[in-house]
Amino acid sequence: MAKNTRAKNTGARTTGTGSAGSPIDKQATIHDQKLQRGSGGELHQIADADTPVLTTAHGTPISDDHNSLKIGVRGPTALEDFHFREKIFHFDHERIPERVVHARGYGAHGFFETYQSLEQYTRADLFQRPGERTPAFVRFSTVAGSKGSADLARDVRGFAVKIYTKEGNWDLVGNNIPVFFIQDAIRFPDLIHAVKEEPDRAFPQAQSAHDNFWDFISLTPEAMHMIMWVMSDRGIPRSFRFMEGFGVHTFRFLNARDESTFVKFIWKPKLGLQSVVWNEAVKINGADPDFHRRDLWEAIQSGNFPEWELCVQLFDQDFADRFDFDVLDPTKLIPEEIIKPVPVGRLVLDRMPDNFFAETEQVAFMTQNVPPGIDFSNDPLLQGRNFSYLDTQLKRLGSTNFTHLPVNAPKCPFAHFQQDGHMAMRNPVGRTNYEPNSRGDGPREDPARGFRSFREEIQGPKVRLRAESFADHYSQARQFFNSQTVPEQKHIAMALTFELSKVENEVIRERVVSHLLNIDEALGATVADKLGMEQLPTPADPAVAPRDDLPASPALSIIQNGPESFAGRKVGVLVSNGCDTAVLKKLQAAVEKEGATLELIAPKVGGVTAADGSRLVAKHMIDGGPSVLFDAVALILSEEGAERLAGEAAARDFVADAFAHCKFIGFTAGSAALLAKAGVASDADEGLIRLDRNGAAAKFIAACRKLRLWAREASVKL
Ligand code: HDE
């Protein structure tokens, strides 16, 4: 069987002949393909009744796509070869500039479904009718790395949503972190220059662990709150499906009477929050740099559509005046315990793009895309963004007509007098291309339906100053740190230590620690100690003394908001020849009942023969399926299988890593030899669960709902 396939694939069997005088003189049929062999032995695929004829972009049918036109069979190529020229010309121009930030991203289509009418607060059409669905496109991204960088970089994640409402596109261009590094858009180019690869050496790529970034940060105290978030587990999410999204800035809702309510937007994932540990992230980047992409692709293709609820925090001017911090300052958040986020709709992603380039690469998000009923606040970061995003689209997409691309075009009726320009696809018809006009042609303004800005009274001198109300740089950073569980606080300390250990200049390290001391003395001292600093630097001089009266906000912790469910997660099961299928079947049933998935890993990808003689096909061979790709693992091995695997480094790492990353490990008695060789005692803690006992599969999955056994972390000392 295998031999036959091989013979066919090489096209070794040739039949028939080409037309007389043609350089193509032999034909072969491989599967249902018609192949011809050319004069130099190359294989040509020939059109038949079922396949379209290959043409140039101008429609000219092509007879030979393998050989350029030459003067003599070994001679120079002729200039008149328009097909060759067109093909190479087009290829040479396939790339468009990658996004200057958020270059690496992955998108999907879906819909937004409104829960309730928000008429009281906003006249935005999409929030009027409960149950109504509005098409949406989402692009998730990392910020610092280039288009080809790995998914598990420690970084902020972009969470950009385009909702094609009946009154124009609404782009909520957010992140998975509710605050930002800087308070004024004028700082953005410096921030991004600092975090991206250093200009003389062009590394490190997709990493903030280098001198330039920390130099900038150490001199930018306003970044400290955001630094706490990025150094926390939020910076290394398990996948896009398990992240929150935040609009960050304060926006306004405007109702039909043009009354304003301030609003902050939050996307909450239905599957709950989850992150990985740093040691795992580093290994995932090697094992599967597309881990986040693949996760979204697999979930959507298998019909497990990821879902988020859109929540709003609503408040009025009175609250804004009373609140501890300035609501226009994007380095501050409003704790959920102070203003409870109210769910107003859900976002479901149910379709991958047909073509990555056309949709995910060319989608153009712009903060200034808001429908009537949603308006901006004066947050200086948002004001700057509203200027930036239009500019960037022209640079990337090359034409003012980027709104003609299907992914960017509104899905509601639209009409204007804009015309011409590069690649205009939609061109006006008729004589009138201006307004007002006496012919009664073309669109007209609509003072009632049209977009109106909030009539805000603004007065003041023209100044280049930062508001004093923005000057508290440490209090919310401290509140964030105090709201984390012990393991989460440790992760922050470890992340800071790792990052600063990559900084060559000791002065920069010390300056960062001097800020940490203003956030939490013990944190600063731990990082200093782990960096081997001989003495603690003096705390940085704060513009405003950090407060210690802000209560912890449990909503800020990932672990305290665990889903208590294993749904949407993945178990990796290591199997060997002679394994017990009854145990596997029970585990499979328990996994499916939970709404999770299971993949088999075996010594060979072709699979194994179980004890009952059945054949189990594997998804991964052991070297290609390390445990970092799974949320929990199980070892269903025969004694002999376990002995053999114990001699393989990849199998030992599979177990040792799962243990070190605090994962739940199910195992059968036969698997003991591998556990032992990996240095894991089968009774080490309650995270090791026997699977070959009555009711064991359900018990294992119930334990997995905790996602990780953090109590183990102190002993593994990652
Ligand atoms: Fe962006 N940002 N940004 N940003 N941003 C871009 O627009 C910019 C900021 C965010 O998946 C660019 O189309 C400035 C905050 C996301 O296509 C660019 C400032 C937040 C995406 C740009 C900020 C974001 C971008 C680059 C400081 C979270 C990816 C390519 C004032 C609320 C969208 C592009 C996608 C992309 C500018 C700050 C989120 C250059 C000037 C704060 C999710 O226009």
Side-chain angles (χ1 to χ4, degrees):
M1 171 77 178
K3 260 184 198 155
N4 280 347
T5 318
R6 198 171 306 133
K8 277 187 177 178
N9 278 342
T10 56
R13 286 186 314 124
T14 54
T15 55
T17 53
S19 55
S22 157
I24 299 166
D25 59 13
K26 287 183 182 159
Q27 284 190 0
T29 304
I30 294 176
H31 301 297
D32 52 355
Q33 316 246 15
K34 200 165 153 200
L35 289 185
Q36 288 187 355
R37 177 151 280 167
S39 52
E42 77 281 7
L43 283 178
H44 296 250
Q45 241 176 350
I46 306 302
D48 57 24
D50 301 329
T51 45
V53 171
L54 181 74
T55 70
T56 64
H58 298 269
T60 313
I62 300 301
S63 62
D64 180 345
D65 191 35
H66 287 238
N67 297 298
S68 53
L69 187 66
K70 296 177 200 75
I71 315 300
V73 74
R74 297 177 57 244
T77 302
L79 261 185
E80 73 176 57
D81 189 348
F82 58 85
H83 170 49
F84 168 72
R85 162 95 171 100
E86 180 195 87
K87 193 173 172 185
I88 298 296
F89 153 80
H90 201 278
F91 170 76
D92 287 344
H93 298 91
E94 274 178 9
R95 294 288 173 275
I96 61 173
E98 66 172 34
R99 289 167 175 79
V100 60
V101 282
H102 298 266
R104 177 155 182 93
Y106 208 53
H109 293 275
F111 60 85
F112 177 76
E113 186 178 294
T114 307
Y115 284 168
Q116 74 224 44
S117 168
L118 297 183
E119 191 189 0
Q120 183 189 350
Y121 303 106
T122 174
R123 69 184 177 107
D125 184 74
L126 86 155
F127 290 125
Q128 304 306 310
R129 295 164 294 277
E132 184 170 282
R133 292 183 171 187
T134 311
F137 187 84
V138 177
R139 184 173 178 274
F140 302 107
S141 48
T142 52
V143 176
S146 64
K147 201 167 168 289
S149 55
D151 279 346
L152 264 288
R154 175 181 295 287
D155 199 352
V156 188
R157 298 300 184 288
F159 193 127
V161 184
K162 191 183 280 291
I163 306 184
Y164 303 89
T165 87
K166 290 186 177 134
E167 294 195 331
N169 293 349
W170 177 32
D171 292 357
L172 185 56
V173 197
N175 279 344
N176 75 329
I177 289 179
V179 290
F180 203 62
F181 294 101
I182 49 172
Q183 295 172 321
D184 190 311
I186 198 169
R187 306 299 308 128
F188 193 64
D190 296 285
L191 166 73
I192 300 304
H193 287 176
V195 72
K196 286 218 158 204
E197 60 270 29
E198 301 189 359
D200 55 349
R201 60 208 66 187
F203 63 80
Q205 136 101 297
Q207 282 187 55
S208 51
H210 60 110
D211 281 57
N212 281 11
F213 178 70
W214 287 102
D215 187 20
F216 176 87
I217 292 298
S218 71
L219 296 165
T220 310
E222 73 206 58
M224 285 307 140
H225 186 196
M226 177 73 165
I227 284 296
M228 285 294 109
W229 281 81
V230 190
M231 294 299 123
S232 80
D233 296 345
R234 303 263 178 167
I236 37 174
R238 153 66 172 81
S239 88
F240 304 132
R241 296 183 296 139
F242 308 115
M243 321 187 297
E244 287 178 316
F246 300 89
V248 174
H249 317 279
T250 297
F251 289 84
R252 285 180 190 274
F253 270 158
L254 297 183
N255 65 15
R257 293 184 298 282
D258 286 343
E259 292 159 342
S260 154
T261 307
F262 287 119
V263 55
K264 280 187 172 274
F265 296 104
I266 309 179
W267 296 104
K268 297 227 170 229
K270 277 275 179 76
L271 291 170
L273 296 174
Q274 189 181 336
S275 285
V276 298
V277 294
W278 176 243
N279 181 277
E280 197 182 0
V282 170
K283 291 172 179 167
I284 294 173
N285 278 341
D288 184 5
D290 305 307
F291 188 67
H292 283 168
R293 291 189 168 191
R294 194 184 306 280
D295 177 87
L296 191 65
W297 169 272
E298 285 179 353
I300 293 180
Q301 300 300 61
S302 63
N304 294 316
F305 303 137
E307 208 172 309
W308 288 259
E309 275 191 322
L310 178 64
C311 299
V312 293
Q313 287 180 302
L314 298 173
F315 55 97
D316 55 15
Q317 187 64 52
D318 192 42
F319 172 87
D321 295 340
R322 274 186 289 116
F323 183 52
D324 293 326
F325 303 97
D326 196 326
V327 299
L328 301 184
D329 174 356
T331 66
K332 306 296 188 299
L333 52 81
I334 302 177
E336 295 189 8
E337 291 77 7
I338 295 184
I339 297 185
K340 194 174 153 47
V342 181
V344 295
R346 67 183 185 128
L347 170 76
V348 178
L349 298 183
D350 60 1
R351 184 165 60 87
M352 291 309 301
D354 292 328
N355 181 280
F356 177 86
F357 179 83
E359 298 163 81
T360 307
E361 190 60 10
Q362 294 199 116
V363 65
F365 291 97
M366 307 208 293
T367 49
Q368 56 281 48
N369 279 352
V370 286
I374 300 180
D375 200 2
F376 313 112
S377 70
N378 295 333
D379 173 341
L381 202 63
L382 177 59
Q383 296 282 321
R385 293 179 74 198
N386 286 346
F387 180 80
S388 171
Y389 287 70
L390 186 59
D391 243 357
T392 211
Q393 306 315 342
L394 178 61
K395 176 70 194 169
R396 293 194 62 240
L397 301 168
S399 162
T400 48
N401 291 316
F402 66 88
T403 53
H404 296 195
L405 296 169
V407 71
N408 295 326
K411 295 192 196 295
C412 61
F414 58 95
H416 50 71
F417 291 108
Q418 293 163 25
Q419 65 172 29
D420 304 351
H422 286 291
M423 306 288 167
M425 301 291 170
R426 289 200 196 89
N427 298 298
V429 181
R431 189 172 177 187
T432 314
N433 57 355
Y434 57 93
E435 62 95 18
N437 65 68
S438 342
R439 297 196 188 96
D441 284 350
R444 298 281 186 266
E445 298 166 3
D446 185 337
R449 265 191 62 194
F451 179 87
R452 292 186 303 272
S453 300
F454 179 60
R455 278 182 74 90
E456 190 182 3
E457 293 292 332
I458 301 194
Q459 265 188 344
K462 191 195 281 181
V463 289
R464 201 179 271 284
L465 287 176
R466 189 82 53 96
E468 277 178 33
S469 52
F470 282 31
D472 181 342
H473 300 140
Y474 302 107
S475 299
Q476 280 207 342
R478 175 179 288 175
Q479 182 179 35
F480 178 80
F481 188 73
N482 288 342
S483 305
Q484 306 300 306
T485 58
V486 172
E488 288 171 309
Q489 289 188 338
K490 267 196 186 161
H491 296 169
I492 295 174
M494 277 152 50
L496 284 161
T497 308
F498 172 84
E499 296 267 319
L500 294 175
S501 76
K502 298 280 179 184
V503 171
E504 291 160 14
N505 186 330
E506 281 176 32
V507 176
I508 298 175
R509 289 188 208 157
E510 280 167 18
R511 225 189 278 134
V512 175
V513 172
S514 76
H515 292 295
L516 298 180
L517 290 169
N518 284 343
I519 296 170
D520 186 90
E521 258 181 55
L523 172 67
T526 308
V527 174
D529 174 53
K530 289 193 182 298
L531 287 170
M533 277 182 197
E534 284 179 3
Q535 66 186 58
L536 270 186
T538 11
D541 183 21
V544 165
R547 296 171 53 160
D548 51 18
D549 59 340
L550 299 180
S553 161
L556 300 177
S557 149
I558 294 183
I559 293 181
Q560 289 179 72
N561 294 285
E564 287 302 325
S565 161
F566 198 60
R569 275 76 179 176
K570 203 187 262 186
V571 188
V573 185
L574 184 58
V575 291
S576 68
N577 280 337
C579 65
D580 185 341
T581 43
V583 174
L584 179 61
K585 276 187 191 151
K586 280 185 195 151
L587 179 60
Q588 174 93 47
V591 166
E592 281 171 13
K593 193 167 163 219
E594 185 77 3
T597 50
L598 179 151
E599 285 177 2
L600 293 187
I601 305 110
K604 294 179 186 171
V605 75
V608 295
T609 306
D612 62 6
S614 60
R615 190 82 193 142
L616 304 173
V617 177
K619 169 97 177 175
H620 311 271
M621 75 177 283
I622 178 69
D623 309 62
S627 59
V628 292
L629 303 183
F630 306 100
D631 300 290
V633 300
L635 312 175
I636 303 186
L637 305 171
S638 63
E639 263 177 47
E640 196 201 337
E643 291 286 353
R644 274 196 191 190
L645 284 168
E648 289 194 29
R652 292 195 302 271
D653 287 351
F654 185 91
V655 178
D657 274 348
F659 187 75
H661 300 148
C662 302
K663 290 178 183 168
F664 289 90
I665 303 177
F667 66 99
T668 55
S671 315
L674 178 58
L675 277 174
K677 260 286 161 62
V680 175
S682 60
D683 59 354
D685 56 40
E686 74 262 30
L688 281 126
I689 297 170
R690 277 285 289 274
L691 288 174
D692 41 8
R693 289 179 178 157
N694 263 350
K699 190 178 151 212
F700 175 62
I701 295 301
C704 288
R705 289 183 189 138
K706 294 241 169 309
L707 304 179
R708 301 290 165 104
L709 183 66
W710 294 116
R712 185 189 294 154
E713 205 177 18
S715 65
V716 285
K717 294 214 172 76
L718 261 181

